[in-house]
Amino acid sequence: MSSEYNAFITDATIEGDGEGVLSGATVAVKDNISTKDVRTTCGSAMLESYEPPYDATVVRRVLDAGATIVGKANMDEFGMGGTTETSAFDPTENPRAPGHVAGGSSGGSAAAVAAGAADLALGSDTGGSIRNPAAFCGVVGLKPTYGLVSRYGLIAYANSLEQIGPIGPTVESTARLLDVIAGPDEHDGTTRTADLEGSYVDTIDGDVSGTTVGVLRNLTEGSDERVQTRFEAAIDDLRAQGASIVEIELESIEHALAAYYVIAMSEASSNLARFDGVRYGVSGGYDGDWNEAFASTRNEGFGEEVKRRILLGTYALSAGYHDKYYKKAQDARAWVKSDFTEAFTQADVLASPTMPVLAPKIGENLDDPLALYQIDANTVPVNLANVPAISVPIGEADGRPVGLQLIAPAFGEGRLFRTASALE
Amino acid sequence: MTQAARTRELIPVIGLEVHVQLETQTKIFCGCSTDTADADPNTHTCPVCLGLPGALPVLNEAAVEMAVKVGKALDAAIPEQTRFHRKNYFYPDLPKDFQITQYDNPICQDGELEITVEDSDRLIEIERAHLEEDPGSLKHAGGSIDQAEYTLVDYNRAGMPLMEIVTRPDFRGPEEVRAFLEKLTEVLEYLGVFDADRDGSLRVDANISMVSADAVAEDDSIAVATLEDTNRTEVKNISSHKGAQKALAYEITRQRNAIRRGRAVEQETRHWDESRGVTVSMRSKATEKDYRYFREADIPPLRVAGWKEQISIPELPDARRERFGTEFDLSDETASKLTATKAVADFYESLVGQFDPDFVATWTADVLLGELNYRDRSVESVDRKAFADLLELVATEAITEKNGAEVVLRSMLDDGAHPETIVEREGLGKTDADAVATAVATAIDNHPEAVADFHAGEDGALNYLVGQVMAETGGSADPQTVNQLLEEKLTS
C-alpha cells in the first residue's frame, strides 16, 4: 500500500509493548525520528544505512500506549523542503490529488494517513513541516508549543524552532496522539509541563460560542484566490456557530520568513556538522587529509538543498556577518514573539490559510528555491514565536485539499482542538 | 640602569588558559560515569556523549555547583543566569563537530588569586572561568597524527566536565606561572572539585609575548595597545606545573633570541614537546578558524543568582595555614607542609586534640609524610586510628621514638599490621628499669677490655657498651637511660 504513493522510506512493523489509548492503532513515524535498530535516514543518502541504537522518547511513548509502528515515513532531506521532493528516496505523491506533491517536509506522514496506510502519524515541524502536508493532503496536523513534546531522538534540523507533532484523519485522533506524546522528558531539558486539566481529547466539544477568532489579514490577502474563497467560507462558518471574528494585522510578519531562514539555516549548519564520514556516510578512500576527507563525504552524502542551507547558514554565522544576519534575525524573532503576545490580548485564537497556495504538481517548483521558501510564509511565524498551531481541512479547490491554520498562545493546544473541531 | 639598557631589556608577558577536569560523578551533559581510568575504549558512552543524531544534552548541575565553588574561592562574580554556546569546528575527536561551551555569561567573571614567589606576593587576575565538554581522544596507530596509518577514536573522555580558567596577562615569568598553577590546583583540591592524580586532569595553554621593559608602568601594568601591537605565541599541550615552567622558559629564550637577531616573532600556535623540551610551530594564527559561536538552544539558561551565597566552601589553604600557625603554635614551614593538601591538613587536625600539637606536627609533617613520599602513597591510605595508637605508644614512652618511626610505622605502612601487634612481634616494649640495670651489669662484667678502654679515655668504648646493652634488651631500652646508667656505674 505504501509503495502506491511512496509514503514510506522503510516498511517496518514495530509492535507496541503496552496497552493503552493507542491499542490497535497503526502509526507512521517520520524518518527523522529515531527507532531502535530500524534504519532512520532523514531522507538522506548520508544516513542510508544508519540504524539508531535507541528509541526517540515519542516512539517509546506510542509503543507504550499500545500502537504498532508500520513504517518510517518519507520526508524532505533533513526536513529541508516543503514538498518531499528533496528526499533522496524520491517524492511522495499526494493521495488526495494524484500527480501533485504531498507537501513537506512530513509528506510521507500526512500521505500515509490520507491514504489509510496508517491510522495516525508523527511528523516534525520546523517552519510548517506538519501543517503544510496536512493541508495539502486533507488531514489534521498539529505543531505543538515549543517544549510540550520531547525532541529526544528527533534528528535536528533547527533545534530552537522544531517540535514533533501528531497527524490524524480527525481532530479527535490528532488530540489523542498528542495526549500520548506530550509531557516533560528528563532527556530533553527544554520540555515543560502544560497546565492542562484532563486530556486534550476532553477539550473537543465543538463549542466556539464566546471564542474570539483573529483573522491574520496580511497572511490571508497574500494567498491564492481559490484558497481565500475556502478560507472565508470557513470563517463564516465559525461566525455562524457563535464565534466573534476580529481582524488582526501583524507588522512583524513581513520579516518572519527572512528571519526564519537565517535562523534555521544557521542552526542547521551546526546540527549537520557531525555527518563527517567518521561514523556516518561514505568514509575512507579519499585522498588528502581528514579535512578533505570530511569535505568529500559531505559533498557526496548531502543533496543540493541541504548543501545550500549549510553554506548559507555557515555564512550567516561567520565573523563579520553574524551581526548583520544572525543577530538581526534574532531581533526579528523577538519582535514576532511580542507581536503574537499583543495579538492574543485581542483574540483567543488566530486564523489564516495554512498554505497560501494549492499543492503544486510534482516537479513544478523543484528548480526555484525562493518560490519554495515563499510557500512557508504563513507557517514560519508560529515557529519563531514558539506557539502552537493546527491545520484542519476545510474542503477542496480545483480537486486539491485546502487547510485552515489556527494559532494559540503557548500551551493553548486545548483551544486549538476545540476551535478546529467546530470546522469538521 | 640607563634608559638605553632598559629599552633593550625584554620582559615576558604571559596569560594562561587552564583547563581542569571537575570531579563530578557523571559527565556534564549525560549520565555516563566519569570513572574511566581503567576502562576499555568506548565503554563509558551513550547517545548523548557520542553525539548521536537526535540525542540532547541535559546539564549536570553538579558541574555548575562545582564551578560556583571555584568562583567563590577565586572571589569571582557569578552572574544572575548562565548559558551555553556552541563552538563550531571540525575535528575527528569531536563527536558533534561542535563543542558545547560558554561564551557570554560564563559562570565566573573577574576573579583573582594571590601567589607568593620568592617571598613577594603577586595578585593574578582571573578574567573568566567557564564550563565546557571535553572532546573524545585520538589514538594514532603508528606514531603522530601526520604519519599514522589510521586513527582510532575513544569517546570515553567525550563529555567530561571541564572548567577553563582564563587569566589576564599578569605573569612576568615562568616561576610565577608555576607558583600560580600550584596554588590553583591546591585550592581546587581543597574544594574537592579536582583530582591532580587523574590522567589529563590539568591542561594549560599559555599566551606569551615579549615587551620592552620601559613599556611596563610603575604599577606593573602594560598598556593594552602595547600588548595588541606585540606578536604573541600560544603554547599548547602543557600538562604539569613543571612542564609549564620549562615550556615558557624555552619560549622566552626563543623569542628573545629572535628579537635580538632582528627577526619578527610570528603570531602562531606552538606545541610543547615535553620529551624534546622544545616548542614547535603548529599553525599560524592568521589561518585560525572562525568558531561561529551561537546560543545552544537545547540547554535553557540556568538561573544561578544566589548560588554563591547558598553554596559553602571549606576553609582555603592560605587561611588554614595562618590558623594552624597561631592556633597550634607551628612554624611557617611546618604549617605550610601540613596544609599543602586538604587531606594532610584534615589528618593533622583530627589528631591534634589528643596529643601535643607540636608532637603530632613532627610525626605527621616529618615522619609520616617522609615515609609516604618514599612509598609514593597518599595520606588517605593511612589508617588514622592505627597511627593515633602509634602516637599513643610513643607519647607514653611505651616504645622509643626510634622504634616507633623506623620499625612500627614502616611495618604498619607496609604490611598493615596494628602497632600493638608489631610491638609484641618485634619485642619492642620498653624494658623495665630492673632489666636494664641487669643488662648494664652484664655488659660491664662481660666486657672488661671495654671498661678498661673507657677508663683509659677512649671515645668509642662507652658507645660500644651501650650497643651491647641495647642488643641484650632487643632494642627496647631507651638509649639515653642506658648511657646514663653505664656512666654512673663506671664512674662510681
Side-chain angles (χ1 to χ4, degrees), chain B residues 133-145:
Chain B
E133 58 179 340
D134 211 349
S137 52
L138 300 178
K139 306 270 179 291
H140 304 296
S144 68
I145 189 164

Side-chain angles (χ1 to χ4, degrees), chain B residues 105-164:
Chain B
N105 293 65
I107 187 68
C108 305
Q109 270 173 307
D110 299 322
E112 60 187 38
L113 187 67
E114 194 178 59
I115 57 169
T116 308
V117 182
E118 286 164 8
D119 290 336
S120 69
D121 292 338
R122 295 264 291 121
L123 196 66
I124 304 299
E125 287 186 18
I126 312 288
E127 187 180 320
R128 56 181 279 153
H130 65 254
L131 287 164
E132 61 188 27
E133 58 179 340
D134 211 349
S137 52
L138 300 178
K139 306 270 179 291
H140 304 296
S144 68
I145 189 164
D146 304 321
Q147 295 144 13
E149 190 186 342
Y150 59 89
T151 296
L152 298 170
V153 192
D154 178 5
Y155 293 102
N156 280 352
R157 201 181 73 177
M160 289 290 195
L162 295 182
M163 190 169 192
E164 180 177 334

Side-chain angles (χ1 to χ4, degrees), chain A residues 50 53-54 151-155 159-160 186-190 270-271 273-274 276 279-280 290 314 318-319 322 326, chain B residues 47-48 50-56 58 86 88 90-92 95-98 145 155 290 292-294 296-298 300:
Chain A
Y50 170 63
Y54 73 108
R151 288 178 293 115
Y152 188 69
L154 170 67
I155 301 180
N159 51 312
S160 81
E186 58 174 9
H187 293 297
D188 179 353
T190 64
S270 174
N271 287 324
R274 73 194 71 187
D276 58 14
R279 288 173 298 159
Y280 324 98
W290 58 261
T314 304
S318 296
H322 186 283
Y326 184 75
Chain B
V48 177
L50 286 173
L52 290 189
L56 297 170
V58 177
R86 289 183 183 180
N88 294 284
F90 284 93
Y91 206 78
K96 303 181 290 294
D97 283 310
F98 63 78
I145 189 164
Y155 293 102
D290 170 4
R292 306 190 309 279
Y293 286 97
F294 74 104
E296 171 54 278
D298 290 336

Side-chain angles (χ1 to χ4, degrees), chain B residues 347 351 355 382-393 408-409 412-413 416-420 422:
Chain B
F347 187 87
L351 293 169
F355 306 98
V382 179
D383 180 343
R384 199 171 47 79
K385 174 76 173 61
F387 187 71
D389 290 344
L390 166 61
L391 293 190
E392 182 69 27
L393 290 171
V408 182
L409 178 61
M412 198 182 107
L413 292 174
H418 192 270
E420 306 271 14
I422 300 164

Side-chain angles (χ1 to χ4, degrees), chain A residues 92-321:
Chain A
T92 294
E93 192 178 7
N94 190 327
R96 299 278 168 84
H100 295 81
V101 302
S105 64
S106 313
S109 298
V113 171
D119 297 327
L120 297 162
L122 291 174
S124 70
D125 189 314
T126 310
S129 285
I130 287 173
R131 291 159 287 160
N132 159 335
F136 282 173
C137 292
V139 296
V140 179
L142 176 98
K143 180 264 166 196
T145 306
Y146 190 82
L148 180 64
V149 178
S150 169
R151 288 178 293 115
Y152 188 69
L154 170 67
I155 301 180
Y157 156 26
N159 51 312
S160 81
L161 295 161
E162 61 208 3
Q163 275 287 290
I164 291 171
I167 295 172
T170 60
V171 173
E172 189 185 344
S173 59
T174 305
R176 180 167 297 117
L177 184 50
L178 183 66
D179 276 323
V180 170
I181 61 174
D185 176 17
E186 58 174 9
H187 293 297
D188 179 353
T190 64
T191 50
R192 287 179 289 162
T193 309
D195 190 14
L196 175 78
E197 279 175 35
S199 69
Y200 288 111
V201 170
D202 292 341
T203 62
I204 300 166
D205 54 14
D207 182 8
V208 288
S209 57
T211 299
T212 306
V213 179
V215 173
L216 294 173
R217 227 0 107 191
N218 29 7
L219 296 186
T220 307
E221 281 164 0
S223 303
D224 180 296
E225 264 178 41
R226 292 165 295 183
V227 172
Q228 276 194 52
T229 308
R230 292 297 330 145
F231 177 76
E232 298 300 347
I235 293 298
D236 287 344
D237 184 9
L238 286 175
R239 189 184 285 115
Q241 293 185 53
S244 332
I245 310 296
V246 295
E247 297 213 342
I248 286 177
E249 191 112 11
L250 293 183
E251 233 187 299
S252 63
I253 262 179
E254 280 174 50
H255 305 280
L257 195 66
Y260 165 78
Y261 272 101
V262 169
I263 293 169
M265 290 173 180
S266 297
E267 293 181 6
S269 73
S270 174
N271 287 324
L272 272 62
R274 73 194 71 187
F275 304 109
D276 58 14
V278 173
R279 288 173 298 159
Y280 324 98
V282 186
S283 176
Y286 298 118
D287 290 334
D289 61 19
W290 58 261
N291 221 339
E292 286 156 345
F294 280 16
S296 301
T297 292
R298 293 166 68 75
N299 188 40
E300 201 166 296
F302 288 139
E304 285 307 305
E305 184 58 31
V306 171
K307 280 187 258 189
R308 180 173 13 253
R309 293 193 193 191
I310 289 173
L311 286 172
L312 288 169
T314 304
Y315 179 81
L317 285 173
S318 296
Y321 299 97

